[in-house]
Amino acid sequence: MKDYLSELNAVQKAAVEQTEGPVMVIAGPGSGKTKVLTSRITHLLSKGVKPNQILSLTFTNKAAKEMTHRISNVVGNEARKIWAGTFHSIFAKILRIEASKIGYPNSFTIYDTEDSKSVINEIIKEFNLNTKEYNANAIRTRISSAKSNLITPIMYERDPEYKEVDQANRMPRTGEIYRRYVQKCQQAGAMDFDDLLLQMFRLLQENPDQVLEKYRGYFKYLLVDEFQDTNQLQYGIIKKLSLYPGSARNICIVGDDAQSIYAFRGATIQNILDFEKDFPDVKVFKLEQNYRSTNFIVKAANDVITHNKKQIKKEIWTEKNEGAKIKLLKSASDTEEGRRIANLIVEYKNRHHLPNHEIAILYRTNAQSRIFEEHLRRANIPYKVFGGMSFYQRKEVKDFIAYMRLVINRKDNEAFKRIINYPKRAIGDSTVDKFIEYAAENNISLWDASIEVPLPNRAAQALATFKLQITEMYQYSLNADAYETAQYIYKLSGLSTELKSDMTNEGISRLENVMALLDGVKEFTEQDDVEEDSSTDRSLATYLQSISLITELDQQEGTPEYITLMSTHSAKGLEFDLVFIGGLEENLFPSYMAMKSDADMDEERRLFYVAITRAKQFLVLSHASTRYFFGNLKKNEASRFLEEIDESCFETDKTARSTVFNLMDDEPTNSKIFIRPKINFAPSIPTDFKESPRDLITQGATIIHQKFGRGKIQTIEGQKDNQIATILFEEIDNPLRKIMLKFAKLQVVN
């Protein structure tokens, strides 16, 4: 076994060697938390702990695989016997074994977001509700939030606060929809993602002797990564396994309260803040040395996070004392911000020889990407926006998967509805509506309802053929692996003929997507990197479970040569040599939605902290004085977060800076030095702005421009409607601008 302990610093080593009792590791950004987790598991194995007695929970499959790979490098194949995976994948695995104890089939289907919305839309229709008022996505979010907070349908309907909110949202029957949604999922033998947690909790709660004690006995050591991202339900399950009498209490949580940024998904920072109360004998280790970023970046992060009210105190430090200071980029508009960032990328690439994949532009909202995309295209800089449609959400892929799902679970109503008439087989929407109505009245699946509902001869014959095909596919799957079954489904269903009949560019793209899906099934059947107890399981059911748990970030592998554009939420866990953070303005970052409470503002600050600490060498913080918002030009104040960073971290003093500028982008580069005694974070534009008559706009006049602020007219050239004013502005970079007067709105102030 390799000497894994010699690679750890003193605090890391102490955290690894403290194997017994509750342990909390507060791991700052870039502090080597993954190394601590993997070393801790390795240390347990070296002490004789059996691999299958270790439960390690993460939030992405990618993190689980990386951890297992690192452990394998030290201890070999024993790493495969560890129960390591995401909350959802581990609990799905247990539920596959124990589901019958809570009234579900062991081959239950896992519904994704679209499936859940479809069920909710069906219920809205069943209840004869106004679809303009009852929004399926909003209701799905409400149900998800309720489940994450251990609120059952009965509790929901009795809670006056839920009723009040639903009434205010003009959806007073949301509680009834929630209750019906749970019924329909159970009738269909299906669980949504939240159910994988809720039903796991229910399984342990309702079976304390038979199930809870069984898994307490299995899992002698529990490790939880990214603990600050857990919700109430996840922590509830963790406590059942590790806190109460009969538990081994050998739990190690690793996380950072300063990186808790997923409250909108139900995560609560209170879990990590309260851990010491729940486990008063906990041993706390703080990993404060940052191995990722240079000193100025680390100092800026510390400066910002100290302003939060609720936090576990720590001081991140680094030995990388040499490095570039942070560049503060101020632009007159969001368009200029996009142009300047694109130009800076070219400059940094040439000066520091940075590859594209080491550069990222981060922003608070996905809508901000448009400007950056436009200017990156103009500069011929390849880029990729993360946050678009996932491969598994494309129609042709979902259609094929729906066939697979129905083959292994004929109670899967969402799969049934999706493919009953695809390819077209004379079974229209009105026929499907009859199935839905009959199924709702009799509490049965659509598959069973279709047997009972009388149909015209043509539709009846088409339905019989369809059902015979599904049955044949199922019989075939009993003696075939996932790939063989998928190929059989692809041909027998008619998908092959349907897709190959369209040879347009779009049709070819759809066919390529389905071929890629089949390639993925093939890879699944041939892989050898699996857990011990499922190493020979290459069934279609197991394949479907594996892809149902894939997240978007799990699919982002390798280092392709493009600039990364993503929201700050998506950037968590990543790192780049050069990071731009755009749109650092009040009501944008921090968001206007965070202005209502201190807790929300603290979360925005943690989000900014996460964004800063993605940078390894270079960090550029950018804001614009004006930005279009819903068609209106809006003046902005710079983000309060910029003021919280000490001036010593910036390339130039925030209150007294000098800048080199060119007269105009299209003029000769006669560089001048312009000294500004004071720089405000936004141009001084009066709220009572009034456009002045044209005859007052003369050479030497001091004016206010709606976008650029205060300036002085240097010259006016041209005739009548073609007059151009050259204006020296006081408070912007590149301050000398040429303005076409017939389009300008200027207020004379002297």
Side-chain angles (χ1 to χ4, degrees):
M1 184 178 289
K2 296 180 181 178
D3 185 8
Y4 54 92
L5 292 176
S6 64
E7 299 177 354
L8 305 174
N9 65 34
V11 181
Q12 290 173 335
K13 184 179 178 184
V16 165
E17 293 181 325
Q18 181 63 50
T19 58
E20 306 306 302
V23 170
M24 179 165 68
V25 180
I26 302 301
S31 62
K33 74 176 181 66
T34 303
K35 181 186 287 187
V36 169
L37 274 169
T38 55
S39 298
R40 184 178 176 85
I41 293 174
T42 302
H43 192 61
L44 287 170
L45 296 175
S46 73
K47 292 179 64 176
V49 176
K50 295 178 180 178
N52 58 12
Q53 292 180 323
I54 301 172
L55 172 61
S56 177
L57 297 170
T58 64
F59 276 85
T60 67
N61 293 319
K62 182 178 179 181
K65 288 179 180 177
E66 180 183 354
M67 192 178 302
T68 303
H69 176 71
R70 289 196 191 188
I71 298 167
S72 296
N73 287 339
V74 181
V75 302
N77 291 334
E78 288 292 288
R80 296 183 181 181
K81 301 176 185 177
I82 297 166
W83 285 66
T86 65
F87 283 87
H88 293 88
S89 64
I90 293 293
F91 296 163
K93 180 177 174 181
I94 293 173
L95 286 165
R96 290 284 180 209
I97 301 168
E98 313 286 356
S100 61
K101 294 182 177 63
I102 51 173
Y104 280 88
N106 291 63
S107 60
F108 61 84
T109 296
I110 300 175
Y111 278 175
D112 64 12
T113 300
E114 291 303 313
D115 295 325
S116 296
K117 284 164 60 178
S118 178
V119 174
I120 292 167
N121 274 318
E122 187 180 300
I123 297 168
I124 291 170
K125 193 172 183 180
E126 178 185 320
F127 286 2
N128 294 315
L129 299 173
N130 187 335
T131 55
K132 292 182 179 178
E133 292 182 356
Y134 282 83
N135 179 280
N137 193 50
I139 293 172
R140 186 199 65 80
T141 301
R142 291 284 286 168
I143 292 173
S144 176
S145 175
K147 288 182 177 180
S148 296
N149 288 286
L150 285 170
I151 304 295
T152 65
I154 294 174
M155 295 165 65
Y156 188 104
E157 291 183 88
R158 291 176 178 172
D159 191 305
E161 289 187 18
Y162 279 101
K163 285 183 178 180
E164 184 180 345
V165 172
D166 291 339
Q167 197 74 43
N169 291 332
R170 300 175 66 187
M171 296 188 294
R173 297 185 67 184
T174 299
E176 294 175 63
I177 295 171
Y178 179 16
R179 174 160 40 90
R180 183 65 178 134
Y181 172 78
V182 170
Q183 291 172 352
K184 290 178 78 69
C185 286
Q186 188 141 15
Q187 288 161 11
M191 297 186 194
D192 61 24
F193 268 30
D194 297 303
D195 281 326
L196 295 177
L197 304 179
L198 184 61
Q199 299 304 332
M200 180 66 186
F201 183 88
R202 180 185 161 207
L203 175 69
L204 300 178
Q205 177 86 353
E206 295 179 2
N207 300 273
D209 298 327
Q210 193 176 4
V211 178
L212 180 55
E213 288 307 314
K214 173 182 174 181
Y215 288 97
R216 280 178 175 170
Y218 279 177
F219 306 135
K220 300 296 186 185
Y221 294 87
L222 175 58
L223 297 91
V224 185
D225 191 14
E226 302 287 5
F227 187 76
Q228 76 281 347
D229 294 335
T230 55
N231 60 31
Q232 185 176 338
L233 180 52
Q234 287 163 326
Y235 191 29
I237 296 169
I238 290 166
K239 284 194 285 189
K240 280 195 171 296
L241 292 171
S242 60
L243 175 60
Y244 302 114
S247 307
R249 299 187 83 256
N250 297 324
I251 178 173
C252 173
I253 66 160
V254 180
D256 181 6
D257 60 296
Q259 297 186 67
S260 178
I261 60 172
Y262 294 126
F264 68 96
R265 294 181 187 171
T268 171
I269 190 175
Q270 211 58 44
N271 286 348
I272 195 167
L273 296 179
D274 289 347
F275 192 79
E276 289 184 82
K277 296 177 185 176
D278 293 331
F279 295 87
D281 57 335
V282 64
K283 300 289 192 301
V284 180
F285 300 91
K286 295 180 181 180
L287 307 184
E288 297 174 302
Q289 182 174 359
N290 180 295
Y291 293 93
R292 175 190 298 155
S293 307
T294 58
N295 184 58
F296 294 114
I297 295 170
V298 168
K299 183 177 183 344
N302 281 330
D303 288 347
V304 168
I305 206 63
T306 55
H307 287 77
N308 268 10
K309 293 177 172 56
K310 288 186 176 181
Q311 59 176 297
I312 298 172
K313 291 292 184 181
K314 58 185 174 299
E315 184 75 18
I316 306 303
W317 60 278
T318 180
E319 292 181 342
K320 295 183 177 182
N321 293 322
E322 296 299 322
K325 288 192 173 185
I326 298 168
K327 180 180 285 294
L328 182 62
L329 194 66
K330 175 190 172 186
S331 303
S333 66
D334 52 354
T335 300
E336 182 183 354
E337 179 184 50
R339 176 181 63 81
R340 296 184 69 195
I341 285 179
N343 291 343
L344 270 177
I345 287 173
V346 174
E347 179 183 328
Y348 274 93
K349 280 169 60 64
N350 291 336
R351 181 179 296 179
H352 303 289
H353 309 290
L354 298 178
N356 287 336
H357 70 263
E358 284 290 355
I359 303 172
I361 302 174
L362 308 182
Y363 35 77
R364 179 62 181 83
T365 67
N366 285 317
Q368 291 171 252
S369 73
R370 179 182 64 85
I371 293 292
F372 298 124
E373 290 184 68
E374 287 179 4
H375 289 282
L376 290 174
R377 281 198 298 267
R378 290 174 189 171
N380 292 317
I381 300 172
Y383 68 88
K384 183 173 181 180
V385 179
F386 287 86
M389 182 175 287
S390 164
F391 174 82
Y392 291 96
Q393 293 300 321
R394 296 171 189 169
K395 180 186 180 302
E396 58 277 9
V397 174
K398 285 184 74 72
D399 290 337
F400 193 3
I401 290 174
Y403 267 98
M404 298 183 200
R405 280 169 41 174
L406 194 63
V407 166
I408 66 166
N409 179 12
R410 277 168 282 187
K411 288 185 176 183
D412 188 337
N413 290 344
E414 296 311 300
F416 183 94
K417 287 189 296 182
R418 187 175 189 93
I419 63 174
I420 184 62
N421 199 36
Y422 181 76
K424 291 190 180 300
R425 52 174 63 90
I427 303 175
D429 291 343
S430 60
T431 300
V432 176
D433 287 344
K434 291 177 183 177
F435 297 158
I436 293 172
E437 183 179 353
Y438 189 88
E441 291 173 353
N442 294 276
N443 287 332
I444 59 177
S445 69
L446 293 181
W447 179 278
D448 292 335
S450 66
I451 299 171
E452 304 291 336
V453 176
L455 298 175
N457 287 339
R458 186 172 174 226
Q461 186 176 351
L463 179 64
T465 301
F466 170 71
K467 287 194 161 187
L468 180 62
Q469 288 177 336
I470 297 296
T471 302
E472 287 182 12
M473 294 170 190
Y474 172 71
Q475 293 295 332
Y476 187 90
S477 73
L478 296 177
N479 299 302
D481 64 27
Y483 179 67
E484 292 165 343
T485 305
Q487 278 196 315
Y488 190 75
I489 294 171
Y490 176 60
K491 294 174 182 175
L492 188 61
S493 65
L495 287 177
S496 175
T497 303
E498 175 80 9
L499 290 166
K500 289 178 180 177
S501 66
D502 182 4
M503 284 294 103
T504 63
N505 288 337
E506 293 79 11
I508 292 170
S509 178
R510 285 191 286 271
L511 180 62
E512 288 174 344
N513 286 334
V514 171
M515 290 298 103
L517 180 65
L518 279 170
D519 289 342
V521 182
K522 181 71 171 176
E523 181 180 344
F524 168 80
T525 59
E526 293 182 347
Q527 69 176 333
D528 58 2
D529 185 17
V530 296
E531 296 169 0
E532 182 189 59
D533 60 342
S534 62
S535 62
T536 59
D537 185 0
R538 296 293 181 271
S539 67
L540 188 62
T542 306
Y543 166 74
L544 288 174
Q545 178 177 315
S546 71
I547 64 166
S548 71
L549 298 171
I550 292 177
T551 65
E552 185 175 89
L553 281 179
D554 290 329
Q555 299 171 51
Q556 298 170 15
E557 297 178 353
T559 52
E561 280 305 308
Y562 48 69
I563 306 295
T564 295
L565 274 67
M566 58 170 49
S567 71
T568 44
H569 279 104
S570 299
K572 187 169 177 292
L574 305 178
E575 58 182 42
F576 305 89
D577 283 338
L578 167 62
V579 170
F580 295 85
I581 307 175
L584 284 167
E585 299 135 33
E586 288 292 287
N587 295 310
L588 182 55
F589 200 177
S591 166
Y592 68 93
M593 293 185 291
M595 302 297 173
K596 59 186 179 183
S597 74
D598 290 340
D600 290 338
M601 186 58 69
D602 279 1
E603 174 131 343
E604 286 290 298
R605 190 174 281 106
R606 292 194 296 269
L607 186 58
F608 183 50
Y609 176 87
V610 167
I612 289 174
T613 54
R614 299 312 94 197
K616 293 190 286 185
Q617 296 186 57
F618 307 102
L619 177 63
V620 179
L621 305 179
S622 173
H623 68 101
S625 301
T626 60
R627 187 177 299 272
Y628 278 96
F629 186 73
F630 292 118
N632 297 315
L633 188 65
K634 185 175 179 292
K635 299 185 287 288
N636 307 304
E637 293 181 9
S639 171
R640 68 189 68 190
F641 299 154
L642 294 174
E643 292 286 359
E644 293 171 357
I645 300 173
D646 190 88
E647 291 183 356
S648 64
C649 295
F650 291 97
E651 282 186 355
T652 51
D653 187 0
K654 288 187 295 186
T655 58
R657 295 184 300 169
S658 63
T659 184
V660 179
F661 67 95
N662 298 330
L663 292 178
M664 287 292 289
D665 288 350
D666 56 354
E667 290 190 356
T669 55
N670 298 320
S671 297
K672 298 184 178 181
I673 302 295
F674 173 62
I675 307 296
R676 290 200 293 265
K678 181 174 177 59
I679 293 291
N680 294 321
F681 276 127
S684 303
I685 305 171
T687 55
D688 58 343
F689 179 90
K690 293 181 181 179
E691 185 178 359
S692 297
R694 181 67 57 84
D695 58 1
L696 294 181
I697 299 171
T698 59
Q699 183 172 327
T702 300
I703 54 88
I704 297 291
H705 184 277
Q706 272 194 305
K707 184 183 292 186
F708 302 131
R710 186 184 181 94
K712 186 171 184 177
I713 298 175
Q714 306 295 301
T715 61
I716 297 178
E717 301 171 325
Q719 302 296 319
K720 297 180 180 178
D721 286 347
N722 293 321
Q723 284 188 325
I724 297 174
T726 300
I727 305 175
L728 182 64
F729 291 99
E730 297 177 1
E731 302 173 5
I732 62 172
D733 292 326
N734 297 326
L736 201 65
R737 303 290 178 118
K738 288 181 182 283
I739 304 291
M740 181 74 75
L741 289 181
K742 71 177 179 180
F743 299 125
K745 292 184 178 181
L746 304 175
Q747 177 181 343
V748 177
V749 294
N750 63 339

